[in-house]
Amino acid sequence: MLTLLSMFYYICLRRRSRSGTRGEALHSRRAVESGQRAALPVSPEVEQYAKEVLDFSSHYGSENSMSYTMWNLAGVPNVYPSSGDFTQTAVFRAYGTWWEQCASAPPRFCRTPPGFHSQDYIELAYEEPVYPTAVEVLETYYPGAIVQIQACSLNPFSQNTPSDVRWEVLWSSEPTKVLTPQARQFSPAIKQISFPTNLLRLEVNSSLQQYYTELDAVILRGVRDRPILTLYKRPVIDVGDLSDSDEELADMAAACRYGSDEGPPHATGNGHFDRLPYELIQLILSHLTLRDLCRLAQSCKLLHQHCCDPLQYTQLSLQPYWARLSDASLGHLQSRCALLQRLNLSWTGNRGTLTPSGFTSFIKVCGSSLVCLELSCCHFLSEACLEVVSQSCPGLQELNLSSCDRLHPLAFTHVSKLTRLRRLVLYRTKIEQTAILSILTFCIELRHLNLGSCVRIDDYDVVASMLSARCRSLRSVDLWRCRNLTERGLAELVSGCRTLEELDLGWCPTLQSSSGCFQHLARKLPRLRKLFLTANRSVCDADLEALADNCPSLQHLDILGTRMVSPPALKKLLQSCPKLLLLDVSFCSQVDNRNVQELSALFPKVAIKKSFTQ
Amino acid sequence: MLSVLSYGRLVARAIIGGLSQAESRDFSLVTASCGFGKDVRREEERMRGRGEEERRKMTSYGDDACFTARHSSADVLGVADGVGGWRDYGVDPSQFSGTLMKTCERLVKEGRFIPSHPVGLLTSSYYELLQNKVPLLGGSTACIVVLDRQSRRLHTANLGDSGFLVVRGGEVVHRSDEQTHYFNAPFQLSIAPPGSEGAVLSDSPDAAGSTSFDVLLGDIIVTASDGLFDNMPDYMILQELTKLKGSSYESIQQTARSLAEQAHILAYDPNYMSPFALLACDHGLDVRGGKPDDITVLLSIVAEFTD
């Protein structure tokens, strides 16, 4: 009788813990917590500001500056509670959907898990590991971009490297639209974790933001002693773990125990599944996320055959699983990826989970049909990795090495062997002059090139000259913060690359409008769709006139920070460019808020941006 | 007998220990600032409603700006004199000097500088001004003084006609060199409107003159814009400094204030032959009286470092 009752209780509890929603469970947990808290003595709470910024995917500012760069997120806040576009905040490179609308944006990978929305990330280290009770983010401009906060069990300041590095999600949400750009203190309800942490990771999605989101500081509140409440066992919600061998066994056992309706695993009959055509099952499976696909593979022989079919793995995005992806996982997937065409390994290899040898052995087996390879923020990459890529992926057309700033400059010489390259992203890498010239000599099919914030390139005029000579089909080039491009280089570029549609010349200080370079540009590029002249203080009315007269397809224009543009010239531009969608006139001193309101009323389809500091 | 010897040894050890400790203790600067803007009416507007505490922490006087900052290894102070001529072109000169000094302060607080290389601090600060989305215009001189606490050396960088004096035992032992292109046109950092770069004086931060020297306890450092030095000759400044008693913040504040006040009064005296007037006469200009100008004085004493 007793055993029956206890079994009954056990089954009920397990069922409740399985079916309870996360929000519900959190609420019930909080109720318990608050009840308990009254009874037990509370250990003192420690409040810390970030000590150091360890890693991040992008930022707006210049590499050796403290203006609008990610390093501002460490330490005490400089701006909060003021709102506005200040230099002392941390700003990411992009916002909204403007960059996704460009031709240079890569097509999305399929099978993205519905809970994964992150576009950028930043990792912060604190002085002392604590059990976190609260994380407060001080956002000072267009808040609301944070979609995930995670904590790591590793102490980045300790000398010994533990074998098991765990990342736990403290809080996660879909991107939400916040209506006002005003500063706010964002403190979501975080989950209790079972280990002390001094390494936080914030993931950000700015696609719903009206302008650049800016962060000032991140406060970590926690207790030194392990709270007794964590004795309450809760199913840990993982970010998405890929089945490696241990979990496969566990899952297989689970699958067997709870039974599958697909029939016994021997050769005679799989029930209705035998009636379905092979391609139809394949089509159904193509909608599953990668995790579910791996788990489904353990259910029965037929589905195992389907799930391991290389046709299911022509596109593989492992970015959502960056925290857990290891050499073993890659090895496990190797057998299924013979027909792999598009591979996304961005953000993976965090803290040694992936090594160059694991990566190279995977690429050697699966790289022959590879067309697109995304390796953004892959800090495990070495020169040998790029060498193997250049040898094993002869048909590679897209390569993204954005923010691989630990990659040695010599590694980029191997990229010139990929002669079929069409899209190359080298944002924030340490590529040097000889390597980029070598790449441009051989990769003549380049359509999209991103050399933003490449500080080690000595002479951009020579680079522009080489582009115009060799890469005649160039459609977009991003030269954000290229420090010494002059009107000579620009003139050669626009003369040689007549199909250019997108040109980002933001923060290039050496381009002077008085040389006529922008008017020349407008006349030479009738197909121009995107032009960023951010913080080029010499842009004037004559340049806008030239654009109005010659570039009817213009969609995105950024002329931030010039004193020489007047509202009538803007009006003429808006009239002549009916396809214009984005116009950034922030800090243009002749254009005030009233002008912007009037123009917005006349041209409602155009998003006219005017940033403010107070 | 033995106890006397052992006692003596203890005492000797204590004395030597005490001496060596004094040898290795760090120095620091105790600094107070005071000043007056040239446009009396504008300054009264700004001072209205500000308490004594706030007035002490002010960092700009007219078109002049100053800052003091501490880092773990150094004490830094600086003064910048905004070039007034920009007002004729619709640019507020105090914006450039103020932003320059605030940026220097931030760079020091975040440790993005090398104490023995203050010209580097000036260069970084100027570079950061160019990284601002807001299109800053204007120009200013700059003088930066850095005390490296452990090495007890003073490192300075001066661009233009602001400057510093180091006074030891009632005498000037170090002074900055004034840098001018021609009369009343000092070296200056500036950001010009595009196209006018040729018409505007714009010197590179590398053109700053820099010096380094050791300092002793009790050295007095007067860092000021030309509003002080053009109105008060050395002997008057030294006279004021003799009134400085001790190294408490209050007495330094009082002396700084009296220096600034005296310069302010002399500036508006029409018959007084100020250093500015004397220099003008040397250049063949018949000028008398003081030079009405923004005055900023930073007065520092080298003292022992206490946390």
Side-chain angles (χ1 to χ4, degrees):
Chain A
M1 182 66 182
L2 270 170
T3 46
L4 272 175
L5 269 173
S6 56
M7 266 186 64
F8 178 67
Y9 259 168
Y10 177 71
I11 292 168
C12 278
L13 272 173
R14 280 211 69 161
R15 209 170 271 165
R16 189 188 296 165
S17 73
R18 271 178 186 266
S19 65
T21 62
R22 193 152 163 268
E24 225 174 49
L26 264 176
H27 279 138
S28 66
R29 181 158 201 189
R30 284 221 137 195
V32 170
E33 272 175 44
S34 47
Q36 282 276 22
R37 210 164 267 173
L40 295 165
V42 180
S43 54
E45 210 176 54
V46 176
E47 178 184 290
Q48 301 180 72
Y49 291 100
K51 180 175 176 183
E52 200 183 320
V53 171
L54 296 179
D55 192 16
F56 53 91
S57 53
S58 77
H59 59 189
Y60 185 92
S62 179
E63 289 309 296
N64 49 354
S65 163
M66 58 177 194
S67 304
Y68 316 109
T69 51
M70 280 293 134
W71 299 297
N72 288 331
L73 206 52
V76 298
N78 301 107
V79 170
Y80 186 83
S82 306
S83 308
D85 196 349
F86 291 103
T87 59
Q88 303 100 309
T89 54
V91 190
F92 290 99
R93 173 75 174 88
Y95 71 97
T97 51
W98 309 109
W99 276 259
E100 286 162 39
Q101 292 173 15
C102 295
S104 48
R108 292 181 157 280
F109 278 78
C110 61
R111 290 193 206 279
T112 305
F116 183 76
H117 306 284
S118 311
Q119 292 175 334
D120 275 305
Y121 73 89
I122 176 167
E123 291 186 358
L124 300 165
Y126 293 80
E127 180 70 52
E128 193 185 334
V130 293
Y131 293 88
T133 53
V135 174
E136 291 169 17
V137 184
L138 302 179
E139 305 177 82
T140 51
Y141 202 47
Y142 286 99
I146 300 184
V147 290
Q148 200 166 84
I149 302 176
Q150 298 180 45
C152 187
S153 60
L154 173 75
N155 183 341
F157 299 125
S158 73
Q159 300 304 320
N160 48 337
T161 44
S163 52
D164 179 34
V165 175
R166 285 175 61 193
W167 283 94
E168 200 82 23
V169 178
L170 296 180
W171 173 84
S172 168
S173 140
E174 287 198 359
T176 50
K177 188 154 177 163
V178 175
L179 292 171
T180 114
Q182 304 303 325
R184 76 167 182 184
Q185 182 172 335
F186 178 60
S187 188
I190 60 167
K191 195 181 84 174
Q192 288 235 348
I193 54 173
S194 56
F195 53 83
T197 178
N198 64 338
L199 174 55
L200 288 187
R201 176 172 169 130
L202 267 64
E203 293 190 359
V204 157
N205 178 316
S206 313
S207 58
L208 295 180
Q209 300 298 316
Q210 297 292 304
Y211 204 62
Y212 294 93
T213 188
E214 300 188 359
L215 312 175
D216 200 1
V218 180
I219 304 171
L220 172 64
R221 286 189 207 282
V223 292
R224 289 197 184 95
D225 308 315
R226 186 182 179 135
I228 300 173
L229 302 159
T230 53
L231 286 177
Y232 274 75
K233 267 284 202 191
R234 294 230 44 242
V236 166
I237 297 154
D238 296 326
V239 168
D241 49 296
L242 211 52
S243 318
D244 49 356
S245 40
D246 298 271
E247 291 204 23
E248 255 192 279
L249 288 171
D251 268 77
M252 174 117 64
C256 287
R257 198 188 316 134
Y258 285 95
S260 45
D261 294 333
E262 289 91 41
H266 49 81
T268 60
N270 283 302
H272 297 291
F273 274 79
D274 279 336
R275 298 227 213 121
L276 289 172
Y278 190 88
E279 306 82 55
L280 200 57
I281 301 180
Q282 286 283 298
L283 182 61
I284 295 168
L285 294 183
S286 67
H287 293 285
L288 290 176
T289 64
L290 190 59
R291 190 164 141 215
D292 293 338
L293 199 64
C294 289
R295 288 185 168 165
L296 192 60
Q298 286 130 42
S299 52
C300 70
K301 271 208 176 106
L302 175 69
L303 285 175
H304 188 269
Q305 187 193 5
H306 274 288
C307 291
C308 295
D309 191 325
L311 284 174
Q312 288 292 332
Y313 298 87
T314 54
Q315 279 190 41
L316 187 58
S317 174
L318 296 170
Q319 184 180 351
Y321 312 106
W322 61 268
R324 300 298 190 103
L325 192 73
S326 62
D327 286 345
S329 324
L330 269 192
H332 182 73
L333 284 169
Q334 229 169 279
S335 54
R336 308 178 195 185
C337 294
L339 300 175
L340 192 58
Q341 289 178 354
R342 304 185 67 230
L343 175 62
N344 183 355
L345 285 173
S346 294
W347 301 7
T348 57
N350 187 296
R351 313 203 180 276
T353 45
L354 205 55
T355 63
S357 54
F359 173 77
T360 47
S361 51
F362 183 84
I363 291 290
K364 278 182 189 156
V365 172
C366 310
S368 49
S369 336
L370 212 55
V371 161
C372 167
L373 184 55
E374 302 275 328
L375 294 171
S376 165
C377 307
C378 286
H379 297 305
F380 65 87
L381 284 177
S382 64
E383 189 184 335
C385 296
L386 283 196
E387 192 176 357
V388 167
V389 167
S390 68
Q391 287 162 353
S392 312
C393 310
L396 199 65
Q397 292 181 8
E398 299 184 33
L399 180 60
N400 182 348
L401 293 168
S402 163
S403 288
C404 288
D405 51 0
R406 294 173 215 183
L407 201 49
H408 194 274
L410 283 176
F412 296 98
T413 47
H414 298 290
V415 177
S416 53
K417 298 184 200 132
L418 298 164
T419 53
R420 307 243 194 101
L421 265 186
R422 291 193 171 198
R423 182 177 148 256
L424 181 58
V425 180
L426 296 171
Y427 169 66
R428 284 189 70 235
T429 57
K430 294 195 162 60
I431 186 168
E432 289 175 351
Q433 186 85 359
T434 38
I436 185 66
L437 290 178
S438 161
I439 293 171
L440 296 180
T441 310
F442 294 108
C443 301
I444 58 176
E445 293 184 39
L446 269 179
R447 304 268 196 277
H448 308 287
L449 177 63
N450 185 332
L451 292 175
S453 290
C454 286
V455 295
R456 298 279 190 99
I457 295 180
D458 300 313
D459 192 340
Y460 274 93
D461 279 345
V462 175
V463 172
S465 178
M466 185 66 94
L467 271 171
S468 79
R470 303 290 297 174
C471 306
R472 296 278 171 147
S473 7
L474 201 64
R475 297 252 299 276
S476 82
V477 65
D478 185 327
L479 295 171
W480 174 262
R481 293 189 183 274
C482 66
R483 49 202 174 92
N484 50 22
L485 181 72
T486 69
E487 66 271 10
R488 269 189 356 260
L490 186 60
E492 278 192 76
L493 179 65
V494 302
S495 306
C497 304
R498 304 308 297 273
T499 50
L500 258 185
E501 291 173 4
E502 296 170 18
L503 191 48
D504 192 333
L505 298 169
W507 296 92
C508 295
T510 39
L511 289 171
Q512 295 294 324
S513 164
S514 52
S515 62
C517 57
F518 300 134
Q519 295 167 45
H520 180 74
L521 184 160
R523 286 193 292 271
K524 288 280 188 175
L525 298 177
R527 288 192 230 176
L528 197 63
R529 288 210 252 165
K530 166 176 166 173
L531 181 62
F532 271 36
L533 296 171
T534 323
N536 188 308
R537 320 290 181 175
S538 61
V539 175
C540 62
D541 285 351
D543 300 322
L544 291 196
E545 257 190 64
L547 284 170
D549 293 337
N550 296 288
C551 306
S553 314
L554 198 60
Q555 290 179 0
H556 300 172
L557 180 64
D558 182 339
I559 51 169
L560 178 149
T562 171
R563 290 170 170 255
M564 323 233 288
V565 159
S566 65
L570 282 176
K571 193 165 175 186
K572 177 161 184 248
L573 179 80
L574 286 162
Q575 280 164 348
S576 311
C577 299
K579 296 192 192 167
L580 201 60
L581 296 171
L582 171 67
L583 177 62
D584 193 336
V585 291
S586 304
F587 305 107
C588 291
S589 39
Q590 291 187 43
V591 182
D592 60 23
N593 287 322
R594 200 173 43 88
N595 298 130
V596 170
Q597 274 168 20
E598 282 169 9
L599 289 170
S600 296
L602 285 173
F603 303 97
K605 280 198 288 180
V606 187
I608 306 181
K609 306 291 184 188
K610 184 148 178 70
S611 187
F612 62 90
T613 47
Q614 270 305 348
Chain B
M1 183 65 181
L2 273 168
S3 61
V4 169
L5 273 173
S6 54
Y7 208 89
R9 205 187 295 158
L10 267 172
V11 170
R13 207 175 280 164
I15 292 172
I16 293 169
L19 273 175
S20 59
Q21 214 173 17
E23 285 286 323
S24 61
R25 205 169 282 164
D26 293 349
F27 283 174
S28 78
L29 289 176
V30 184
T31 311
S33 68
C34 187
F36 294 92
K38 179 168 69 175
D39 188 340
V40 181
R41 226 175 311 143
R42 197 153 50 100
E43 289 308 295
E44 270 175 20
E45 280 278 338
R46 287 174 61 202
M47 295 290 236
R48 203 172 296 164
R50 289 193 187 205
E52 188 58 45
E53 191 60 44
E54 248 197 82
R55 286 191 196 197
R56 254 195 241 178
K57 288 188 194 157
M58 276 182 65
T59 53
S60 70
Y61 307 96
D63 298 334
D64 284 355
C66 62
F67 82 95
T68 55
R70 285 210 136 168
H71 184 63
S72 59
S73 59
D75 289 331
V76 187
L77 50 100
V79 70
D81 183 352
V83 173
W86 286 91
R87 194 166 274 117
D88 299 337
Y89 298 96
V91 177
D92 179 7
S94 63
Q95 199 190 21
F96 188 93
S97 55
T99 318
L100 185 71
M101 291 290 98
K102 285 207 177 71
T103 311
C104 283
E105 187 180 351
R106 206 177 135 217
L107 283 166
V108 170
K109 284 195 175 144
E110 297 195 8
R112 287 172 165 258
F113 75 111
I114 303 169
S116 56
H117 194 227
V119 176
L121 178 61
L122 215 53
T123 314
S124 307
S125 182
Y126 183 63
Y127 177 71
E128 291 293 336
L129 287 194
L130 294 169
Q131 298 305 308
N132 200 325
K133 283 185 188 179
V134 175
L136 290 171
L137 288 179
S140 84
T141 66
C143 181
I144 308 272
V145 171
V146 182
L147 173 68
D148 186 335
R149 288 209 207 107
Q150 213 177 30
S151 75
R152 298 156 166 201
R153 277 180 82 80
L154 206 69
H155 305 278
T156 70
N158 181 47
L159 183 84
D161 60 5
S162 309
F164 67 91
L165 287 177
V166 179
V167 174
R168 187 180 296 162
E171 280 183 2
V172 175
V173 291
H174 294 281
R175 69 175 348 120
S176 57
D177 289 324
E178 197 179 279
Q179 298 176 323
T180 52
H181 288 289
Y182 45 86
F183 182 68
N184 213 23
F187 276 36
Q188 54 198 258
L189 295 172
S190 68
I191 300 176
S196 327
E197 280 94 1
V200 162
L201 282 174
S202 181
D203 296 289
S204 159
D206 299 321
S210 72
T211 57
S212 297
F213 43 84
D214 291 319
V215 286
L216 302 175
L217 275 177
D219 281 356
I220 304 171
I221 306 164
V222 180
T223 316
S225 63
D226 64 345
L228 177 77
F229 298 119
D230 280 349
N231 286 306
M232 278 180 84
D234 278 4
Y235 76 87
M236 276 196 206
I237 298 175
L238 290 170
Q239 208 170 24
E240 278 300 323
L241 289 178
T242 54
K243 299 179 193 159
L244 186 58
K245 302 212 182 329
S247 55
S248 71
Y249 179 77
E250 281 70 34
S251 60
I252 300 174
Q253 172 73 47
Q254 217 171 358
T255 316
R257 190 181 192 85
S258 71
L259 269 171
E261 274 173 350
Q262 199 171 359
H264 190 61
I265 292 167
L266 289 170
Y268 288 95
D269 184 337
N271 293 313
Y272 159 66
M273 283 308 282
S274 61
F276 174 75
L278 290 168
L279 191 64
C281 285
D282 287 345
H283 281 83
L285 300 161
D286 185 15
V287 168
R288 289 182 74 84
K291 178 185 167 216
D293 195 2
D294 303 312
I295 298 165
T296 305
V297 177
L298 288 164
L299 190 62
S300 324
I301 287 195
V302 179
E304 273 181 3
F305 176 57
T306 50
D307 215 344

